[in-house]
Amino acid sequence: MSEQGSCWPFVGRGGPLTTVREALRSGAGMMIAGAAGVGKSRLAAQSLAGLPGYSVVRALGTETASMIPFGAFAHVLTGPPRSGENLLRWAARHLRDRAGRDRLLVSVDDAHRLDPASAALVHYLAGNGQARLLVTVRSGEPQPDPVTALWKDELLERIELPPLTVEEVGEVLAGALGGEVAAETVRHLAGVSEGNVLYLREVVHAGRASGCLAERDGVWRWRGEVSMTTRLRELVGDRIGHLDPAEREVLELVAFGEPLGTELLEGLTSAAAVERVEARGLVVAMGEGRREHLRLGHPLYGEVVRGDCGTLRARRRLRMLAGALEATGLRRREDELRAAVWRLDSGSVTDPAMLASAAKLAWGRQDPRLAERLARAAIDAGAGVAAVALLGEVLMVLGDADAAVTALRLAARDAVTESERAQHAYSLGVNLAWAGADAEACRVLDVAAETLTDPGWRQEAYVYRAVTDCFAGRLTGAAQALARARACEPGTPRGVAHAASLEAWVDAYAGRTERSLAVADRTMATVEDWQDDAPHALPTFLDALCAAQTFSGRLEAAARTAERGMELPAAELSVTGFAAYRAMVARLRGDAEEAVRWCRQDMARLPEREPYLGRCVAEQAHALALLGRLDEARESLAEAEELTARWAFTRQHVLHAAVWVAAAAGDLAEAVRLCLVAAEHAERHELRGNLMFALHDLVRLGAPEPAVERLGALAGQMEGPLVEVLARHGHALGDASALRAVAGEFERLGLPLYAAEATAHEAAAHREAGRGTLARGAQTRAWALARGCSGVSTPALVELAAPDLTPRQREIVQLAAAGLTNRQIADRLTLSTRTAANHLQAAYDKLGVNDRTQVGRLLAVL
């Protein structure tokens, strides 16, 4: 399928399209250069669309036509030249005659393949100005001299068309698939295609045909490996081209081993072959410190090259790589992991300790699937309890804690040394806690903490004991366990990092947000030092940051942190469901539709029966309720209740959502009751950030009595500006002036929904005091704020209505906001000044304002 024939949406190329069209309109020609498949032909076709006053002659350079003089123009050069006429002048005259009275525009696709006569004709037309030219060429390909001269002699402007960015790939996919595409799918397909439109289209077609790319819960997602269709394999194979045996060996070794050190590769093959392959762009050199590595020129090259190798050939290549890397002494930790994987894949592994060590490294790099595979292989090869303990941790986050507990119970009798007993206890304890067996988990870890003698092992026992307390909602107990962990000196880098991450987490949920942020900032500054040894720490820190930033009112920062967490392989980490916090930020900003979209991003990729999945589903129910989509909200709430039951901090999201599902159904009494239940749960489990929102929800629901004093007390216990503003909202009810100040604070914090509700409360206070004009003004401001909240409805906002201006009043208001005086308005509209003033005053009365400045602020939403 040619680029011109693509039915895919043309998006993401607005800048280049404007550049080309402006050049053509101004009389200049344009050369579009770029890699094969990047979209040059499509851009040229779009540039010509809707360009009036031109007669367009299209030519295409091909290998076949390049054998024939004027082969690219053979379809339009039909008449013979006049006697003695120069062939270039004959061809140019023929093209001009075809144009008639219109201006001639010659569009040449793949001009690097033109035959000499056609190339000379194109240069001749550009040189004498007889036609405007639009030419595409492939970067890096040999070109006829006349084509090269087009831009070197500045006869044509030249632009280099780059591959699509990740954002542009997302736009293309959304248009081509006709729906929302999950962020991780966009990133995956952008990486596989490297922004090449042709490859992207073929990968998508292959994915849809194989079922790897499918719509789930309203979102398109990719699952599985890339499917290489015949067409895609042919396209990539043509780009790779012919390889001699030495070149093929180079490309195969890089395909199986990238990134591959240049010296190591040259030692296995030859420097000359490596240079030839690099010169063709099939591999690229990349510097990393003092090392130089080689990668494939495109990810799809590897799919084709590996697919062309049989099983025995592939194993031989992997053994070659492993042997060569082992001969270097495995100086870097990643060398050990790579060599172990190559040995495992080639069937030549002999050392269980090597596999166990590699499994630990894979787990440290947040790759639990590979860690599981290596750990199982190590156990099969005779590794001991440490490998079983690691497998247990990995299985926990992969959603199979029951299998982990079973394997660990069987291995208990083999835990003899202190290190074996320690690692076995940690893995068994955390799996029991994850599965909800709190009492047994506590017993296992308490025994370990009491009996282990090494301070480092004891430290980690206390850390895992704190994890168990967190799962059960005992934050004071967790803090005490962490204090005991810090007292164990000297600790290990792994234990210190895990303890710090959990300390930040406990402080965040307990409302000590500034302390949490300080701990996270201090420890995250050294993440490179501990990340590989402490696999749970990074996602725990990110979750703590999300909570601390949200509870303190730093919504922009919370959104960025949540998105960073979502970019991790979140479905396979110890802490997941970051979309719940991203959705929470959107909801607090009043954009419930965006909140639903963020929840859907994570829901289809998280493990089933996962409490963090329940957190996302609960946030979706909350947002759906605010949008009035009651049936969907109830369905999501029921699912979330089942998923989150065993953990206090994830269940809190369900309790909050239930409040607003009841409110959406019009049962405010039930909503208030459920709000009190949510507050009691948060208080019992020391979740002060959640308690803050639960108490404030009572204010929003119009039942502030149980909340006002408790919010005030909470403001003295928590850190950050948000709790203070929420507390002031409760105390300000009935005081219009104080409510207006609170609404302004909400706006500054990026909480327009809360600002709208506080302003609606201000309007009610004015009405109760008999201040009708001020009440109308506050109601108008509340309506304007609520208008920006994506169709959200809450009890405080249900009575808001848009100001009912007549068309004439609206027209006069707009002129007044633009700065015109009453006389100028009257002159423009052919009215008397008095009539214009009367219309303006009537509009002021409806809007509840009294000057032109206030009117201008409302016009954007009126």
Side-chain angles (χ1 to χ4, degrees), residues 365-408:
R365 280 165 170 65
Q366 309 286 1
D367 191 346
R369 298 288 178 184
L370 179 58
E372 178 193 12
R373 182 166 170 252
L374 288 165
R376 290 190 184 278
I379 294 167
D380 291 342
V385 173
V388 179
L390 177 63
L391 177 62
E393 285 196 40
V394 172
L395 289 177
M396 177 191 74
V397 302
L398 292 177
D400 200 358
D402 291 340
V405 169
T406 299
L408 287 161

mmCIF file of all heavy atoms in Angstrom, residues 365-408:
data_model
loop_
_atom_site.group_PDB
_atom_site.id
_atom_site.type_symbol
_atom_site.label_atom_id
_atom_site.label_comp_id
_atom_site.label_asym_id
_atom_site.label_seq_id
_atom_site.Cartn_x
_atom_site.Cartn_y
_atom_site.Cartn_z
ATOM 1 N N ARG A 365 15.673 -4.670 38.719
ATOM 2 C CA ARG A 365 15.400 -3.817 37.571
ATOM 3 C C ARG A 365 13.919 -3.778 37.219
ATOM 4 O O ARG A 365 13.543 -3.391 36.113
ATOM 5 C CB ARG A 365 16.219 -4.288 36.369
ATOM 6 C CG ARG A 365 17.664 -3.811 36.437
ATOM 7 C CD ARG A 365 18.551 -4.566 35.469
ATOM 8 N NE ARG A 365 19.877 -3.967 35.343
ATOM 9 C CZ ARG A 365 20.789 -3.883 36.300
ATOM 10 N NH1 ARG A 365 20.506 -4.350 37.498
ATOM 11 N NH2 ARG A 365 21.964 -3.326 36.100
ATOM 12 N N GLN A 366 13.075 -4.176 38.133
ATOM 13 C CA GLN A 366 11.623 -4.095 37.974
ATOM 14 C C GLN A 366 11.138 -4.923 36.785
ATOM 15 O O GLN A 366 10.229 -4.507 36.058
ATOM 16 C CB GLN A 366 11.176 -2.631 37.796
ATOM 17 C CG GLN A 366 11.706 -1.678 38.850
ATOM 18 C CD GLN A 366 11.014 -1.825 40.188
ATOM 19 O OE1 GLN A 366 10.150 -2.653 40.356
ATOM 20 N NE2 GLN A 366 11.419 -1.019 41.156
ATOM 21 N N ASP A 367 11.741 -6.098 36.589
ATOM 22 C CA ASP A 367 11.308 -7.008 35.527
ATOM 23 C C ASP A 367 10.909 -8.337 36.172
ATOM 24 O O ASP A 367 11.649 -9.327 36.111
ATOM 25 C CB ASP A 367 12.432 -7.220 34.505
ATOM 26 C CG ASP A 367 11.943 -7.947 33.257
ATOM 27 O OD1 ASP A 367 10.830 -8.523 33.293
ATOM 28 O OD2 ASP A 367 12.665 -7.943 32.245
ATOM 29 N N PRO A 368 9.740 -8.391 36.812
ATOM 30 C CA PRO A 368 9.378 -9.597 37.550
ATOM 31 C C PRO A 368 9.140 -10.813 36.666
ATOM 32 O O PRO A 368 9.348 -11.942 37.125
ATOM 33 C CB PRO A 368 8.103 -9.190 38.303
ATOM 34 C CG PRO A 368 7.573 -8.036 37.555
ATOM 35 C CD PRO A 368 8.737 -7.317 36.977
ATOM 36 N N ARG A 369 8.728 -10.619 35.439
ATOM 37 C CA ARG A 369 8.526 -11.776 34.542
ATOM 38 C C ARG A 369 9.854 -12.490 34.306
ATOM 39 O O ARG A 369 9.928 -13.718 34.371
ATOM 40 C CB ARG A 369 7.914 -11.321 33.214
ATOM 41 C CG ARG A 369 6.547 -10.696 33.334
ATOM 42 C CD ARG A 369 5.493 -11.725 33.658
ATOM 43 N NE ARG A 369 4.191 -11.108 33.813
ATOM 44 C CZ ARG A 369 3.085 -11.754 34.185
ATOM 45 N NH1 ARG A 369 3.153 -13.053 34.470
ATOM 46 N NH2 ARG A 369 1.933 -11.130 34.308
ATOM 47 N N LEU A 370 10.888 -11.721 34.003
ATOM 48 C CA LEU A 370 12.199 -12.329 33.802
ATOM 49 C C LEU A 370 12.734 -12.879 35.121
ATOM 50 O O LEU A 370 13.332 -13.962 35.156
ATOM 51 C CB LEU A 370 13.176 -11.296 33.234
ATOM 52 C CG LEU A 370 14.606 -11.775 32.996
ATOM 53 C CD1 LEU A 370 14.633 -12.969 32.046
ATOM 54 C CD2 LEU A 370 15.472 -10.628 32.462
ATOM 55 N N ALA A 371 12.509 -12.158 36.220
ATOM 56 C CA ALA A 371 12.965 -12.640 37.526
ATOM 57 C C ALA A 371 12.316 -13.975 37.868
ATOM 58 O O ALA A 371 12.975 -14.885 38.389
ATOM 59 C CB ALA A 371 12.644 -11.605 38.604
ATOM 60 N N GLU A 372 11.019 -14.105 37.571
ATOM 61 C CA GLU A 372 10.325 -15.373 37.827
ATOM 62 C C GLU A 372 10.946 -16.505 37.006
ATOM 63 O O GLU A 372 11.216 -17.598 37.530
ATOM 64 C CB GLU A 372 8.844 -15.244 37.487
ATOM 65 C CG GLU A 372 8.070 -16.546 37.678
ATOM 66 C CD GLU A 372 6.688 -16.513 37.042
ATOM 67 O OE1 GLU A 372 6.409 -15.583 36.263
ATOM 68 O OE2 GLU A 372 5.895 -17.437 37.323
ATOM 69 N N ARG A 373 11.196 -16.228 35.745
ATOM 70 C CA ARG A 373 11.747 -17.263 34.863
ATOM 71 C C ARG A 373 13.114 -17.714 35.345
ATOM 72 O O ARG A 373 13.425 -18.920 35.402
ATOM 73 C CB ARG A 373 11.827 -16.700 33.447
ATOM 74 C CG ARG A 373 12.328 -17.667 32.402
ATOM 75 C CD ARG A 373 12.056 -17.140 30.998
ATOM 76 N NE ARG A 373 12.734 -17.961 30.035
ATOM 77 C CZ ARG A 373 13.811 -17.583 29.344
ATOM 78 N NH1 ARG A 373 14.299 -16.374 29.500
ATOM 79 N NH2 ARG A 373 14.390 -18.393 28.485
ATOM 80 N N LEU A 374 13.960 -16.750 35.692
ATOM 81 C CA LEU A 374 15.307 -17.090 36.147
ATOM 82 C C LEU A 374 15.271 -17.791 37.504
ATOM 83 O O LEU A 374 16.044 -18.736 37.745
ATOM 84 C CB LEU A 374 16.153 -15.818 36.231
ATOM 85 C CG LEU A 374 16.559 -15.209 34.882
ATOM 86 C CD1 LEU A 374 17.057 -13.782 35.073
ATOM 87 C CD2 LEU A 374 17.630 -16.053 34.202
ATOM 88 N N ALA A 375 14.394 -17.347 38.399
ATOM 89 C CA ALA A 375 14.304 -17.977 39.716
ATOM 90 C C ALA A 375 13.835 -19.418 39.598
ATOM 91 O O ALA A 375 14.359 -20.318 40.275
ATOM 92 C CB ALA A 375 13.372 -17.176 40.619
ATOM 93 N N ARG A 376 12.853 -19.659 38.760
ATOM 94 C CA ARG A 376 12.378 -21.047 38.569
ATOM 95 C C ARG A 376 13.486 -21.912 37.980
ATOM 96 O O ARG A 376 13.667 -23.077 38.382
ATOM 97 C CB ARG A 376 11.148 -21.054 37.669
ATOM 98 C CG ARG A 376 9.893 -20.473 38.320
ATOM 99 C CD ARG A 376 8.670 -20.748 37.467
ATOM 100 N NE ARG A 376 7.464 -20.137 38.000
ATOM 101 C CZ ARG A 376 6.717 -20.660 38.981
ATOM 102 N NH1 ARG A 376 7.094 -21.807 39.537
ATOM 103 N NH2 ARG A 376 5.625 -20.050 39.389
ATOM 104 N N ALA A 377 14.224 -21.351 37.018
ATOM 105 C CA ALA A 377 15.328 -22.110 36.430
ATOM 106 C C ALA A 377 16.405 -22.397 37.480
ATOM 107 O O ALA A 377 16.988 -23.496 37.506
ATOM 108 C CB ALA A 377 15.922 -21.343 35.253
ATOM 109 N N ALA A 378 16.663 -21.431 38.352
ATOM 110 C CA ALA A 378 17.664 -21.636 39.414
ATOM 111 C C ALA A 378 17.223 -22.732 40.362
ATOM 112 O O ALA A 378 18.034 -23.587 40.764
ATOM 113 C CB ALA A 378 17.885 -20.323 40.170
ATOM 114 N N ILE A 379 15.942 -22.727 40.730
ATOM 115 C CA ILE A 379 15.418 -23.768 41.633
ATOM 116 C C ILE A 379 15.509 -25.132 40.971
ATOM 117 O O ILE A 379 15.928 -26.117 41.584
ATOM 118 C CB ILE A 379 13.973 -23.426 42.032
ATOM 119 C CG1 ILE A 379 13.946 -22.145 42.885
ATOM 120 C CG2 ILE A 379 13.335 -24.583 42.794
ATOM 121 C CD1 ILE A 379 12.561 -21.562 43.065
ATOM 122 N N ASP A 380 15.150 -25.189 39.690
ATOM 123 C CA ASP A 380 15.228 -26.465 38.965
ATOM 124 C C ASP A 380 16.672 -26.964 38.875
ATOM 125 O O ASP A 380 16.916 -28.180 38.840
ATOM 126 C CB ASP A 380 14.650 -26.307 37.555
ATOM 127 C CG ASP A 380 13.148 -26.097 37.563
ATOM 128 O OD1 ASP A 380 12.506 -26.406 38.603
ATOM 129 O OD2 ASP A 380 12.594 -25.606 36.554
ATOM 130 N N ALA A 381 17.622 -26.010 38.840
ATOM 131 C CA ALA A 381 19.030 -26.395 38.720
ATOM 132 C C ALA A 381 19.660 -26.706 40.068
ATOM 133 O O ALA A 381 20.845 -27.054 40.121
ATOM 134 C CB ALA A 381 19.806 -25.274 38.033
ATOM 135 N N GLY A 382 18.904 -26.549 41.157
ATOM 136 C CA GLY A 382 19.419 -26.922 42.462
ATOM 137 C C GLY A 382 19.728 -25.778 43.395
ATOM 138 O O GLY A 382 20.382 -25.966 44.417
ATOM 139 N N ALA A 383 19.272 -24.547 43.073
ATOM 140 C CA ALA A 383 19.501 -23.428 43.976
ATOM 141 C C ALA A 383 18.697 -23.630 45.259
ATOM 142 O O ALA A 383 17.721 -24.383 45.296
ATOM 143 C CB ALA A 383 19.106 -22.117 43.304
ATOM 144 N N GLY A 384 19.051 -22.923 46.293
ATOM 145 C CA GLY A 384 18.455 -23.149 47.608
ATOM 146 C C GLY A 384 17.293 -22.251 47.940
ATOM 147 O O GLY A 384 16.595 -21.726 47.059
ATOM 148 N N VAL A 385 17.104 -22.038 49.249
ATOM 149 C CA VAL A 385 15.940 -21.332 49.775
ATOM 150 C C VAL A 385 15.894 -19.887 49.298
ATOM 151 O O VAL A 385 14.810 -19.329 49.085
ATOM 152 C CB VAL A 385 15.945 -21.395 51.313
ATOM 153 C CG1 VAL A 385 14.846 -20.536 51.908
ATOM 154 C CG2 VAL A 385 15.792 -22.829 51.779
ATOM 155 N N ALA A 386 17.049 -19.245 49.128
ATOM 156 C CA ALA A 386 17.069 -17.846 48.712
ATOM 157 C C ALA A 386 16.343 -17.660 47.384
ATOM 158 O O ALA A 386 15.611 -16.672 47.186
ATOM 159 C CB ALA A 386 18.504 -17.348 48.596
ATOM 160 N N ALA A 387 16.509 -18.617 46.468
ATOM 161 C CA ALA A 387 15.820 -18.525 45.180
ATOM 162 C C ALA A 387 14.316 -18.706 45.353
ATOM 163 O O ALA A 387 13.516 -18.037 44.686
ATOM 164 C CB ALA A 387 16.374 -19.569 44.212
ATOM 165 N N VAL A 388 13.912 -19.595 46.252
ATOM 166 C CA VAL A 388 12.487 -19.794 46.528
ATOM 167 C C VAL A 388 11.898 -18.526 47.148
ATOM 168 O O VAL A 388 10.788 -18.104 46.818
ATOM 169 C CB VAL A 388 12.256 -21.004 47.451
ATOM 170 C CG1 VAL A 388 10.776 -21.194 47.743
ATOM 171 C CG2 VAL A 388 12.848 -22.266 46.838
ATOM 172 N N ALA A 389 12.652 -17.889 48.059
ATOM 173 C CA ALA A 389 12.182 -16.661 48.693
ATOM 174 C C ALA A 389 12.013 -15.552 47.669
ATOM 175 O O ALA A 389 11.017 -14.809 47.689
ATOM 176 C CB ALA A 389 13.159 -16.227 49.781
ATOM 177 N N LEU A 390 12.964 -15.431 46.755
ATOM 178 C CA LEU A 390 12.846 -14.427 45.710
ATOM 179 C C LEU A 390 11.648 -14.717 44.815
ATOM 180 O O LEU A 390 10.871 -13.818 44.476
ATOM 181 C CB LEU A 390 14.130 -14.388 44.881
ATOM 182 C CG LEU A 390 14.099 -13.417 43.690
ATOM 183 C CD1 LEU A 390 13.936 -11.986 44.162
ATOM 184 C CD2 LEU A 390 15.370 -13.552 42.857
ATOM 185 N N LEU A 391 11.489 -15.990 44.442
ATOM 186 C CA LEU A 391 10.339 -16.362 43.622
ATOM 187 C C LEU A 391 9.042 -15.992 44.348
ATOM 188 O O LEU A 391 8.085 -15.519 43.718
ATOM 189 C CB LEU A 391 10.369 -17.857 43.319
ATOM 190 C CG LEU A 391 9.180 -18.399 42.514
ATOM 191 C CD1 LEU A 391 9.119 -17.751 41.128
ATOM 192 C CD2 LEU A 391 9.258 -19.920 42.389
ATOM 193 N N GLY A 392 9.005 -16.172 45.652
ATOM 194 C CA GLY A 392 7.817 -15.814 46.413
ATOM 195 C C GLY A 392 7.492 -14.343 46.313
ATOM 196 O O GLY A 392 6.328 -13.956 46.122
ATOM 197 N N GLU A 393 8.501 -13.474 46.437
ATOM 198 C CA GLU A 393 8.263 -12.029 46.310
ATOM 199 C C GLU A 393 7.741 -11.683 44.923
ATOM 200 O O GLU A 393 6.841 -10.860 44.767
ATOM 201 C CB GLU A 393 9.552 -11.257 46.585
ATOM 202 C CG GLU A 393 9.953 -11.184 48.043
ATOM 203 C CD GLU A 393 11.004 -10.104 48.283
ATOM 204 O OE1 GLU A 393 10.888 -9.023 47.671
ATOM 205 O OE2 GLU A 393 11.925 -10.356 49.072
ATOM 206 N N VAL A 394 8.331 -12.315 43.925
ATOM 207 C CA VAL A 394 7.929 -12.020 42.550
ATOM 208 C C VAL A 394 6.498 -12.480 42.291
ATOM 209 O O VAL A 394 5.691 -11.762 41.689
ATOM 210 C CB VAL A 394 8.917 -12.679 41.567
ATOM 211 C CG1 VAL A 394 8.424 -12.547 40.141
ATOM 212 C CG2 VAL A 394 10.300 -12.066 41.717
ATOM 213 N N LEU A 395 6.171 -13.693 42.746
ATOM 214 C CA LEU A 395 4.821 -14.209 42.535
ATOM 215 C C LEU A 395 3.782 -13.330 43.225
ATOM 216 O O LEU A 395 2.653 -13.187 42.738
ATOM 217 C CB LEU A 395 4.714 -15.647 43.049
ATOM 218 C CG LEU A 395 5.443 -16.709 42.228
ATOM 219 C CD1 LEU A 395 5.320 -18.083 42.903
ATOM 220 C CD2 LEU A 395 4.882 -16.784 40.808
ATOM 221 N N MET A 396 4.145 -12.748 44.354
ATOM 222 C CA MET A 396 3.213 -11.877 45.059
ATOM 223 C C MET A 396 2.758 -10.730 44.157
ATOM 224 O O MET A 396 1.563 -10.483 43.995
ATOM 225 C CB MET A 396 3.869 -11.315 46.319
ATOM 226 C CG MET A 396 3.005 -10.346 47.096
ATOM 227 S SD MET A 396 3.941 -9.487 48.397
ATOM 228 C CE MET A 396 4.916 -8.333 47.412
ATOM 229 N N VAL A 397 3.701 -10.033 43.547
ATOM 230 C CA VAL A 397 3.319 -8.882 42.740
ATOM 231 C C VAL A 397 2.739 -9.298 41.395
ATOM 232 O O VAL A 397 2.098 -8.492 40.722
ATOM 233 C CB VAL A 397 4.504 -7.921 42.537
ATOM 234 C CG1 VAL A 397 5.041 -7.450 43.853
ATOM 235 C CG2 VAL A 397 5.593 -8.538 41.685
ATOM 236 N N LEU A 398 2.960 -10.540 40.994
ATOM 237 C CA LEU A 398 2.340 -11.031 39.765
ATOM 238 C C LEU A 398 0.929 -11.565 40.027
ATOM 239 O O LEU A 398 0.295 -12.103 39.134
ATOM 240 C CB LEU A 398 3.205 -12.125 39.132
ATOM 241 C CG LEU A 398 4.551 -11.651 38.567
ATOM 242 C CD1 LEU A 398 5.353 -12.826 38.022
ATOM 243 C CD2 LEU A 398 4.337 -10.609 37.480
ATOM 244 N N GLY A 399 0.459 -11.410 41.267
ATOM 245 C CA GLY A 399 -0.921 -11.760 41.575
ATOM 246 C C GLY A 399 -1.133 -13.202 41.967
ATOM 247 O O GLY A 399 -2.270 -13.691 41.890
ATOM 248 N N ASP A 400 -0.095 -13.905 42.398
ATOM 249 C CA ASP A 400 -0.242 -15.322 42.752
ATOM 250 C C ASP A 400 0.363 -15.577 44.130
ATOM 251 O O ASP A 400 1.239 -16.424 44.308
ATOM 252 C CB ASP A 400 0.428 -16.204 41.694
ATOM 253 C CG ASP A 400 -0.086 -17.645 41.740
ATOM 254 O OD1 ASP A 400 -0.931 -17.941 42.611
ATOM 255 O OD2 ASP A 400 0.358 -18.452 40.910
ATOM 256 N N ALA A 401 -0.120 -14.821 45.140
ATOM 257 C CA ALA A 401 0.398 -14.979 46.499
ATOM 258 C C ALA A 401 0.127 -16.370 47.054
ATOM 259 O O ALA A 401 0.939 -16.906 47.830
ATOM 260 C CB ALA A 401 -0.215 -13.915 47.411
ATOM 261 N N ASP A 402 -0.986 -16.987 46.672
ATOM 262 C CA ASP A 402 -1.304 -18.325 47.186
ATOM 263 C C ASP A 402 -0.240 -19.337 46.758
ATOM 264 O O ASP A 402 0.221 -20.158 47.567
ATOM 265 C CB ASP A 402 -2.678 -18.766 46.702
ATOM 266 C CG ASP A 402 -3.799 -17.957 47.334
ATOM 267 O OD1 ASP A 402 -3.555 -17.339 48.396
ATOM 268 O OD2 ASP A 402 -4.905 -17.913 46.758
ATOM 269 N N ALA A 403 0.164 -19.279 45.479
ATOM 270 C CA ALA A 403 1.211 -20.186 45.005
ATOM 271 C C ALA A 403 2.530 -19.900 45.715
ATOM 272 O O ALA A 403 3.296 -20.817 46.035
ATOM 273 C CB ALA A 403 1.387 -20.050 43.494
ATOM 274 N N ALA A 404 2.800 -18.621 45.975
ATOM 275 C CA ALA A 404 4.020 -18.271 46.676
ATOM 276 C C ALA A 404 4.027 -18.845 48.089
ATOM 277 O O ALA A 404 5.044 -19.404 48.535
ATOM 278 C CB ALA A 404 4.161 -16.751 46.722
ATOM 279 N N VAL A 405 2.913 -18.723 48.807
ATOM 280 C CA VAL A 405 2.837 -19.246 50.172
ATOM 281 C C VAL A 405 3.041 -20.755 50.175
ATOM 282 O O VAL A 405 3.762 -21.309 51.012
ATOM 283 C CB VAL A 405 1.492 -18.862 50.817
ATOM 284 C CG1 VAL A 405 1.275 -19.617 52.122
ATOM 285 C CG2 VAL A 405 1.435 -17.353 51.062
ATOM 286 N N THR A 406 2.419 -21.442 49.224
ATOM 287 C CA THR A 406 2.567 -22.894 49.136
ATOM 288 C C THR A 406 4.028 -23.286 48.931
ATOM 289 O O THR A 406 4.558 -24.174 49.620
ATOM 290 C CB THR A 406 1.710 -23.438 47.985
ATOM 291 O OG1 THR A 406 0.337 -23.128 48.238
ATOM 292 C CG2 THR A 406 1.880 -24.942 47.853
ATOM 293 N N ALA A 407 4.703 -22.626 47.991
ATOM 294 C CA ALA A 407 6.111 -22.943 47.715
ATOM 295 C C ALA A 407 6.988 -22.635 48.922
ATOM 296 O O ALA A 407 7.915 -23.396 49.252
ATOM 297 C CB ALA A 407 6.590 -22.157 46.500
ATOM 298 N N LEU A 408 6.698 -21.541 49.612
ATOM 299 C CA LEU A 408 7.510 -21.163 50.761
ATOM 300 C C LEU A 408 7.302 -22.104 51.937
ATOM 301 O O LEU A 408 8.247 -22.415 52.671
ATOM 302 C CB LEU A 408 7.181 -19.714 51.160
ATOM 303 C CG LEU A 408 7.725 -18.656 50.187
ATOM 304 C CD1 LEU A 408 6.999 -17.333 50.366
ATOM 305 C CD2 LEU A 408 9.227 -18.481 50.393
#
